Amino acid sequence: MMRTLLLALMLFPASQAFAQERVLYDSRLPYPEPRLTESERSRVQYLARQAAEQRAWSEDDAGMDFCDGSDFRIEGAAPGAFTVKGRQQTAYVYTFCFRRPGNLQGLVVLDGLNVAAHYVFVNHISSMYALKDINRNGFTELVLDGGFTGQGYTEGWLDIVELGPVRRLLGQLNYEHLPQPYHDNCGVVESGGQWTSALIRVTPGPTPRYTWQQLTGRCGNERVATRTGPIKPLKLTPAPTGWAKGPMK
């Protein structure tokens, strides 16, 4: 009896940690489409236009004079407590202007229709979703998912972002900071092309633990992996976002 009890106590923390593990990124899963009211969309669009009028993006971002706002769209929206603990806020990532070197984009956090945060940057972010406080500090994190297709190859990347208590990247994954979240040669190889992605999981805690697993599949069937690699530990290094502040009203 005592041996059985001791075994149960030894196994409990491990099983509890396993139960808490979450999928942070899986390229096979569809991203949630942002469902917006007209007032939300109008508010974010107004802030994006204000950012353009105030030249919030760097003057080095050539082509600003050709951005009239006709490209505006909201790429993703997510609920959470991003800048104040316990608040019901909504984050939006938008594109103001499409440009090959990098789209003029921004991230807005609304508290109702009041602006809690607004940042602008140049990137190719195409979707966004929330993580539920993976480092247990009371703030909701965001995953910004982006990519670029050129000469038949598609490269994908991820930014894991926290806005409070300090704005920073909890981690960044791309072709320089491996493992790369997604890559394919589907536009180059007519048959036999393949995609490769990283299935990323996180176990929440004051110091979150990350793992990754390589998945490979055939072009044309991006929802099914034909080969799965071993689970490996993943270390992410926090860094500044480098974003500029946008208009707050």
Side-chain angles (χ1 to χ4, degrees), residues 7-234:
L7 182 60
L9 290 173
M10 290 171 63
L11 290 176
F12 177 74
S15 61
Q16 186 183 50
F18 180 78
Q20 292 178 343
E21 187 180 56
R22 305 178 196 167
V23 173
L24 188 154
Y25 174 78
D26 187 341
S27 66
R28 299 168 298 176
L29 300 178
Y31 296 110
E33 287 292 327
R35 297 182 179 181
L36 308 170
T37 65
E38 188 55 39
S39 60
E40 286 178 289
R41 175 184 165 80
S42 296
R43 187 74 170 109
V44 176
Q45 186 171 24
Y46 170 80
L47 291 165
R49 288 187 179 277
Q50 289 291 100
E53 290 175 5
Q54 296 179 23
R55 297 277 176 169
W57 288 278
S58 168
E59 292 296 332
D60 295 334
D61 300 325
M64 271 294 297
D65 292 337
F66 300 98
C67 294
D68 60 2
S70 59
D71 293 334
F72 173 83
R73 75 181 195 186
I74 295 177
E75 310 288 357
F82 302 105
T83 64
V84 180
K85 294 181 182 180
R87 298 289 289 185
Q88 294 297 315
Q89 301 175 317
T90 306
Y92 309 83
V93 63
Y94 67 82
T95 296
F96 183 74
C97 183
F98 292 112
R99 297 165 61 251
R100 185 175 178 83
N103 299 331
L104 303 187
Q105 298 190 295
L107 176 68
V108 170
V109 176
L110 294 184
D111 198 328
L113 290 179
N114 296 319
V115 186
H118 186 186
Y119 302 103
V120 299
F121 46 84
V122 176
N123 210 322
H124 288 283
I125 300 300
S126 57
S127 61
M128 179 184 71
Y129 51 94
L131 295 175
K132 191 176 179 181
D133 192 13
I134 59 174
N135 56 10
R136 301 295 194 232
N137 67 356
F139 293 92
T140 306
E141 296 84 19
L142 289 165
V143 176
L144 304 181
D145 177 29
F148 184 79
T149 299
Q151 298 182 339
Y153 296 91
T154 296
E155 309 285 347
W157 50 81
L158 287 181
D159 289 345
I160 305 165
V161 183
E162 184 174 64
L163 301 181
V166 177
R167 172 170 53 96
R168 59 176 180 164
L169 294 171
L170 294 182
Q172 192 171 44
L173 297 172
N174 50 43
Y175 53 86
E176 293 179 333
H177 301 93
L178 300 176
Q180 187 171 5
Y182 183 86
H183 169 81
D184 74 44
N185 61 355
C186 298
V188 177
V189 183
E190 292 186 7
S191 62
Q194 68 177 27
W195 57 266
T196 301
S197 71
L199 171 57
I200 302 170
R201 299 181 178 94
V202 58
T203 301
T207 302
R209 297 199 310 272
Y210 304 91
T211 63
W212 75 283
Q213 190 173 20
Q214 188 177 76
L215 306 178
T216 304
R218 298 187 181 93
C219 292
N221 194 2
E222 280 74 19
R223 300 299 185 201
V224 178
T226 58
R227 189 165 63 251
T228 303
I231 297 175
K232 301 178 181 179
L234 173 62

Side-chain angles (χ1 to χ4, degrees), residues 1-13:
M1 178 68 178
M2 182 61 70
R3 181 178 179 183
T4 303
L5 178 60
L6 288 173
L7 182 60
L9 290 173
M10 290 171 63
L11 290 176
F12 177 74

